[in-house]
Amino acid sequence: MLRGTRRYTVAMISDPRAVLFVLTLVVVLSIFLEKHVPLCRAVGAALVSLLLGMLLSNIGLLPGNSPTYDFLIGPGVSVGIALILFNVNIRSILDAGPTMLAAFGLGALGTAVGAVVGALLLSGLVGPETWKLAGQFTGTYTGGGVNFAALGQALDTSPTMFSAAVAADVMLTAIWMATCLAVPVLLGRKKAEPNVAPSSATPDDSSKPQTLEHALSSSGRPIHISDAAALVALAIGTVWGAGKLAEIFSFLPEVLWLTTLVLAVAQIPAVKSIAGGALFGNYLILLFLAGNGAQSVVANIVAVGPAVFYFALITVAFHGAVIFGLGMLLRIDLPTLAVASQANVGGAASAMAIAGARGYADRLLPGVAVGLLGYAIGNYLGFGIAGLVRGLLGVG
């Protein structure tokens, strides 16, 4: 027997302030790796942040649940989205709607097929509530987690099964967000960019409007404290205003009010002249992605049994095969497919996070539109698939 041997374990961080500190370090490291490591540069800091957050969570350093994540998923990402939307020219998205809608429809179809197939394959392992999970997974992978909760309550899913499904859903949503960030890079063809030397720039170049992709990593001009002060006031004001409008006019979701308010404000010439909106917004979205990854704790899936995770995996796999497979056959571009897919799986906010992180300026608003459509039809489609699976399985 060896003496003096010690076992070292990773001490989990529970203080929300410390969790936030670690996530900020994750973002710093992700940006560093993007600049200096070719593979990380290829997939981008957004994907690196998400994967690092997932890694730290699953080795036990970060908790699976924290008020920090709640803040980032709520007000944090809302402010980030507002800051990015301040840079969007509404005229640039007028031609993207029909294509995005078609991509979203393919995704919803793939989700429904995947839920039915998963239910039929795994009903013996999942148990008598298989049909309920089929409805919940259909709803959540059509329009996001709002539908998941609503369907679980309506179908009276047991607490144990609901918790297992939540764990599976959170992990699959994070994994699929990583997939949607990576697919356009890994499968797409890079466009040749002109190799212009910095010395060739003319004095007038600084006045040219930036693309969102460039604005996400650089403000293009010095940011003054007046810019930062105005951006904070505008972003927080629009997020607060959207929440109040959603309370008064509850027939429309808060994200729609937020988008409407931000776009209205963004058309004001004085607002367009403020520097740094996309830069600060992208930073908040990187924090959001890191927090999203940190919520994906593999141990939660194992504790309740892998069958529910496999069920969710099959549903998302069919969704991905249909939206990307048929979508590419129909010659729909990969950025549109990625944003539409994330609108299906993660909802409107996640779709905007993908569009913002990748610099797809003309997909931001179409992503919101189909995300809201997912909120609207997800519950109906979920109820329909639940009933269909219940009949196919012969459950009384």
Side-chain angles (χ1 to χ4, degrees), residues 217-263:
S217 57
S218 173
S219 65
R221 59 185 185 275
I223 301 174
H224 301 288
I225 190 170
S226 58
D227 294 321
L231 286 171
V232 170
L234 288 169
I236 294 178
T238 51
V239 170
W240 170 78
K244 298 302 292 184
L245 287 171
E247 291 178 6
I248 299 171
F249 305 103
S250 58
F251 57 89
L252 290 178
E254 183 175 333
V255 68
L256 180 57
W257 288 118
L258 175 61
T259 303
T260 304
L261 283 177
V262 172
L263 287 177

Side-chain angles (χ1 to χ4, degrees), residues 97-384:
T99 303
M100 183 68 75
L101 187 62
F104 177 84
L106 289 175
L109 173 63
T111 293
V113 172
V116 172
V117 171
L120 296 178
L121 290 176
L122 298 173
S123 61
L125 296 175
V126 176
E129 292 190 286
T130 299
W131 64 278
K132 298 180 181 180
L133 292 191
Q136 285 186 263
F137 285 145
T138 298
T140 194
Y141 298 138
T142 296
V146 174
N147 294 334
F148 182 91
L151 286 164
Q153 183 180 21
L155 297 172
D156 196 25
T157 305
S158 67
T160 300
M161 189 62 70
F162 190 92
S163 298
V166 166
D169 176 44
V170 167
M171 186 173 182
L172 260 298
T173 299
I175 291 173
W176 196 247
M177 183 175 287
T179 302
C180 288
L181 285 165
V183 163
V185 176
L186 299 178
L187 298 184
R189 296 179 180 177
K190 293 184 178 179
K191 295 181 180 180
E193 297 181 357
N195 185 14
V196 181
S199 60
S200 66
T202 66
D204 293 334
D205 287 341
S206 60
S207 63
K208 293 182 179 180
Q210 287 183 299
T211 64
L212 178 60
E213 184 176 5
H214 293 151
L216 289 172
S217 57
S218 173
S219 65
R221 59 185 185 275
I223 301 174
H224 301 288
I225 190 170
S226 58
D227 294 321
L231 286 171
V232 170
L234 288 169
I236 294 178
T238 51
V239 170
W240 170 78
K244 298 302 292 184
L245 287 171
E247 291 178 6
I248 299 171
F249 305 103
S250 58
F251 57 89
L252 290 178
E254 183 175 333
V255 68
L256 180 57
W257 288 118
L258 175 61
T259 303
T260 304
L261 283 177
V262 172
L263 287 177
V265 173
Q267 307 314 307
I268 302 172
V271 174
K272 292 181 180 180
S273 67
I274 301 174
L279 179 67
F280 294 138
N282 189 41
Y283 176 77
L284 288 175
I285 285 180
L286 290 177
L287 277 177
F288 160 73
L289 293 171
N292 191 286
Q295 292 184 92
S296 305
V297 182
V298 177
N300 291 344
I301 307 296
V302 176
V304 297
V308 174
F309 174 75
Y310 295 151
F311 193 173
L313 179 61
I314 290 173
T315 305
V316 173
F318 268 83
H319 161 85
V322 171
I323 191 170
F324 286 109
L326 291 182
M328 292 178 70
L329 288 177
L330 294 174
R331 299 184 181 278
I332 299 176
D333 61 281
L334 284 170
T336 295
L337 293 175
V339 174
S341 178
Q342 195 54 223
N344 284 132
V345 174
S350 293
M352 285 192 285
I354 291 290
R358 280 288 179 228
Y360 304 145
D362 59 344
R363 276 85 170 181
L364 275 165
L365 294 183
V368 174
V370 295
L372 295 174
L373 179 62
Y375 290 148
I377 70 172
N379 289 337
Y380 294 104
L381 188 58
F383 273 113

Side-chain angles (χ1 to χ4, degrees), residues 2-36:
L2 296 176
R3 295 183 178 181
T5 303
R6 296 181 180 179
R7 294 182 61 188
Y8 293 94
T9 58
V10 176
M12 179 176 291
I13 297 171
S14 58
D15 188 324
R17 295 167 297 183
V19 171
L20 180 59
F21 172 64
V22 172
L23 294 180
T24 60
L25 293 180
V26 166
V27 173
V28 171
L29 179 59
S30 300
I31 296 172
F32 176 84
L33 292 174
E34 182 185 47
K35 289 182 178 180
H36 296 92

